[in-house]
Amino acid sequence: MAQAARDGVVVIIALRAAVWTLPVYDHWQREARAGARPEDGFRTTYEPFYDPDAAVWVSWAPTEPPSIDQFALGAEVFADAVAAGRHCVGMAADLAWLPQDLVHSADLCLTMPALTGADVLLLARMLCGEEANTSFADDHAALLTPRLLRLARRPDQSADAYLAKLRALLERDRPTAAHPATAGSASIRDTPRLERLHGMDEAVSWGLTLADELQRVRQGQLTWEAVDRGLLLSGPPGSGKTLFARALAATCEVPLISGSYHAWLGSGTGHQGDLLKAMRATFETARKAAPAILFIDEIDSFPDRGTVRHHYAEWEVQVVNALLAEIDGVEGREGVVLIAACNYPDRLDPALVRSGRLDRHIAVRHPDPSALVGILREHLGQDLAGQDLYAAALAAAGASGADAERLVRGARRRARRAGRALLMDDVLAEIGDGDQRSPRDLQIAAVHEAGHVVACLALRVGMLTAVSLRAAGGRGGVTLTSGAAGCLTASDYRRRLIIRLAGRASEEVLLGQVTAGAGGDFDSDLAGATHLATLGVTALGLDPETGLLWSGAPTAVTLPEMLRQDPGLAARVRQVLDAAYAEALGLIRQHAVAVQALAAALLERGALAGAEAAAIVARHAALAPEQS
């Protein structure tokens, strides 16, 4: 530990679960850096860090995925810390939660092992001052959490009594304590099946077909060559991609072997040889376990070889080449189904998604209110049995499956604190508790979302599902639509641009000024409109000025650089956006009364079903189909 903790050393610690983050952090501070005050790398302010007499080491210990701003600030602080020769340590249940420069350049990569029965006996001796006369099973020890270890302790307790209390708590708390691979509870995370997943119908249908095909292969009714065995699953964080992989393996009754860029990188000292060795070992494990599901998480962490330009590009190119070679090896071995998950499919190297590799792509989106009802019911189990959950699902519109699990967990915490059974009010209170915006900010959000809704209804683009002021993912609100897919005509293109910009136009018309609510990251209104406008100009042939010229389809990664490097393109995209915004302003002015009425209803209710919102708008505006 002395070597790992000295100044100038960069260490990452892979934890078994987020519940161990703070205990390990406290231990590192007490034992490795005794007497030296740290500066947390994920704080919102870093003034003390820059004081030479203040922090002498820097730590990152997130218990949940950090925001984009936190990642950016974490990277900046890490660079300064390394330059100053300070000790840096990152610890997380998922190494993707840490600044990637920290992970890539780590001098030491430590992994927290599972607790063993011997560990528990040693702890009992330390706490109780005596040896225990009984043993403690390793598989039970692996399920223990800091919470259970603390709750089992009593004054003047014998070591055997402490172990007995641990066993009793494990049995009582098994749904929350158990590891997914060994749990026996009814929790969807413990016993996932495809039939229990909601809001990802296309993926579930594909998985059920695969399960049937694998069964036919076992029975000799189908050859392996007929099986669809490569799937790319994309979607926002928390949309259930990892849970789908576990449910698929359980439904198919085959082992699940998983890996990721960050897990492979963190398996050794961070050098390329260690990463490639760990990657090959994972693929080899899958081959030996066949039939099996091989799941590669966050595959968009691997770069597109055609876009890397930095000084260690050759390093990353070799890693991608090795990954492709392993995938081809799996392709040639019967019985291994490859599933890969990512947030940004447009960042992938094209070779990954060619035929014979990840040649089928299914996008998973955040669930609509109807799907959220099913997800909430799964996490609630027998709690609130028989009660209608639609009001809660509507209030949580825009939430992910992971958000729904967190909301149920928080609602149960409220009920425990009150010493009673769970009530619907606990769920609704938990949904609304995270929104601390001022009345003014809520009014702006309501006007903004009302603008999107009225534009969507007026232009007949998709079917309105719900609208909510819930600040999902840090946004001011969310408008959910469905059924807008299909071949994009020039008229559709223009209408979608108008809808994207209608929220900002609504602020300008009704409030007299605009806010930054339409801007932000790549999921923002302005980014989406800019991306769509650029696509129309460069790749879709929908811009009358550029005509049929195809000059490339922008992605989230390449779009900013395309516009910076080509002033003419940027000017044309600006013209397209300005024209669409002018139409959005005209539309909002035409239906200002309807926008105002809908915004007032949103402020009062917080969320509205699509039919309710459409009825309000219809009472205040005659929305005849637009003439194109």
Side-chain angles (χ1 to χ4, degrees):
M1 180 174 287
Q3 177 186 2
R6 71 179 187 269
D7 288 341
V9 174
V10 179
V11 180
I12 59 172
I13 305 174
L15 305 177
R16 290 183 55 78
V19 293
W20 289 100
T21 304
L22 294 182
V24 172
Y25 173 89
D26 290 341
H27 180 78
W28 194 265
Q29 181 176 2
R30 184 175 59 253
E31 301 295 333
R33 300 291 301 185
R37 186 177 69 81
E39 181 61 33
D40 189 344
F42 275 151
R43 279 186 177 173
T44 57
T45 179
Y46 291 91
E47 286 84 355
F49 176 81
Y50 296 107
D51 180 356
D53 298 324
V56 296
W57 62 289
V58 186
S59 66
W60 288 262
T63 56
E64 60 184 17
S67 68
I68 293 176
D69 290 341
Q70 287 173 324
F71 268 128
L73 191 53
E76 179 182 347
V77 172
F78 173 71
D80 290 343
V82 169
R86 300 184 190 274
H87 173 67
C88 299
V89 59
M91 53 193 72
D94 187 338
L95 297 186
W97 298 353
L98 299 174
Q100 291 311 291
D101 285 347
L102 168 67
V103 176
H104 290 164
S105 61
D107 301 306
L108 294 172
C109 302
L110 310 178
T111 300
M112 178 184 176
L115 285 180
T116 66
D119 295 328
V120 178
L121 293 180
L122 176 60
L123 178 62
R125 186 181 70 184
M126 294 171 59
L127 293 175
C128 305
E130 63 177 18
E131 297 283 352
N133 295 313
T134 58
S135 61
F136 201 91
D138 287 343
D139 56 346
H140 288 173
L143 304 179
L144 291 172
T145 65
R147 169 177 164 266
L148 295 181
L149 292 171
R150 183 176 64 253
L151 291 179
R153 182 67 177 130
R154 298 290 187 276
D156 302 322
Q157 189 179 40
S158 69
D160 288 324
Y162 179 68
L163 297 181
K165 189 64 176 176
L166 279 177
R167 296 187 189 98
L169 288 175
L170 267 178
E171 187 62 31
R172 186 182 313 162
D173 206 42
R174 185 172 292 273
T176 56
H179 188 277
T182 57
S185 77
S187 166
I188 187 173
R189 288 205 172 274
D190 295 341
T191 56
R193 300 279 299 184
L194 289 175
E195 298 87 346
R196 300 181 67 182
L197 301 184
H198 303 268
M200 49 176 67
D201 295 348
E202 184 181 0
V204 167
S205 176
W206 180 87
L208 291 174
T209 300
L210 176 67
D212 177 70
E213 290 177 345
L214 290 181
Q215 183 63 23
R216 291 174 180 269
V217 170
R218 294 187 187 103
Q219 296 171 354
Q221 301 174 0
L222 198 68
T223 63
W224 173 249
E225 286 73 19
V227 177
D228 202 357
R229 52 193 182 274
L231 172 67
L232 173 66
L233 202 63
S234 68
S239 55
K241 300 183 292 294
T242 302
L243 184 59
F244 172 82
R246 295 184 51 242
L248 178 65
T251 304
C252 294
E253 298 180 347
V254 297
L256 175 66
I257 292 90
S258 61
S260 70
Y261 179 93
H262 297 105
W264 293 327
L265 182 66
S267 63
T269 61
H271 295 296
Q272 187 188 72
D274 294 326
L275 185 156
L276 298 181
K277 180 179 179 181
M279 183 196 302
R280 294 186 187 109
T282 299
F283 277 82
E284 183 59 27
T285 299
R287 294 185 186 98
K288 291 180 178 178
I293 303 293
L294 174 55
F295 177 59
I296 304 178
D297 200 5
E298 298 174 339
I299 197 168
D300 47 352
S301 296
F302 290 89
D304 177 354
R305 292 169 298 174
T307 62
V308 289
R309 297 289 186 270
H310 42 67
H311 63 281
Y312 56 95
E314 183 61 30
W315 191 96
E316 292 196 325
V317 167
Q318 291 175 8
V319 170
V320 175
N321 289 341
L323 174 63
L324 293 172
E326 292 299 327
I327 291 176
D328 290 339
V330 165
E331 176 67 20
R333 173 65 180 256
E334 291 189 2
V336 178
V337 178
L338 179 64
I339 310 293
C342 69
N343 297 333
Y344 304 103
D346 55 354
R347 296 182 181 180
L348 296 181
D349 191 299
L352 285 169
V353 292
R354 73 154 174 78
S355 296
R357 290 172 180 161
L358 299 170
D359 49 9
R360 184 178 292 275
H361 177 203
I362 296 178
V364 179
R365 296 175 176 83
H366 283 333
D368 62 22
S370 297
L372 265 180
V373 169
I375 295 172
L376 288 170
R377 172 51 60 205
E378 286 288 353
H379 292 302
L380 284 167
Q382 294 304 309
D383 288 334
L384 305 180
Q387 294 197 37
D388 187 355
L389 300 175
Y390 190 79
L394 183 58
S400 66
D403 290 332
E405 182 181 15
R406 174 181 54 79
L407 292 171
V408 170
R409 189 167 59 245
R412 287 192 170 122
R413 187 180 301 113
R414 289 173 182 270
R416 285 197 302 269
R417 288 173 179 170
R420 54 166 170 74
L422 182 69
L423 302 175
M424 179 62 74
D425 286 344
D426 296 317
V427 179
L428 294 173
E430 189 66 24
I431 292 172
D433 201 40
D435 196 342
Q436 303 298 324
R437 287 174 290 179
S438 68
R440 174 62 174 167
D441 286 343
L442 285 171
Q443 181 191 18
I444 293 171
V447 168
H448 185 104
E449 295 307 321
H452 286 307
V453 169
V454 170
C456 179
L457 294 171
L459 300 179
R460 303 292 195 268
V461 177
M463 183 176 66
L464 182 66
T465 303
V467 56
S468 173
L469 294 188
R470 181 181 181 275
R475 293 174 291 168
V478 60
T479 299
L480 301 177
T481 60
S482 63
C487 185
L488 191 68
T489 67
S491 179
D492 294 334
Y493 167 69
R494 180 176 58 85
R495 294 179 185 192
R496 292 187 185 186
L497 284 173
I498 294 170
I499 291 172
R500 275 284 194 174
L501 299 173
R504 189 178 193 273
S506 185
E507 294 178 20
E508 181 172 337
V509 172
L510 272 70
L511 302 177
Q513 61 180 353
V514 298
T515 71
D521 58 22
F522 195 73
D523 293 324
S524 68
D525 292 342
L526 294 185
T530 302
H531 182 241
L532 180 57
T534 308
L535 271 173
V537 172
T538 66
L540 302 182
L542 296 178
D543 179 50
E545 183 170 302
T546 54
L548 302 180
L549 176 66
W550 187 94
S551 55
T555 68
V557 176
T558 62
L559 177 59
E561 193 64 26
M562 284 180 66
L563 297 177
R564 279 195 297 266
Q565 291 184 351
D566 189 341
L569 172 62
R572 180 55 191 155
V573 170
R574 173 66 183 272
Q575 291 173 352
V576 172
L577 291 173
D578 286 346
Y581 188 61
E583 291 196 68
L585 287 170
L587 187 149
I588 296 300
R589 291 190 182 104
Q590 179 183 356
H591 301 296
V593 175
V595 176
Q596 189 67 61
L598 183 58
L602 276 172
L603 282 173
E604 180 183 352
R605 300 268 302 278
L608 296 167
E612 294 176 305
I616 292 171
V617 173
R619 287 198 297 269
H620 295 85
L623 298 179
E626 186 215 40
Q627 299 299 314
S628 57

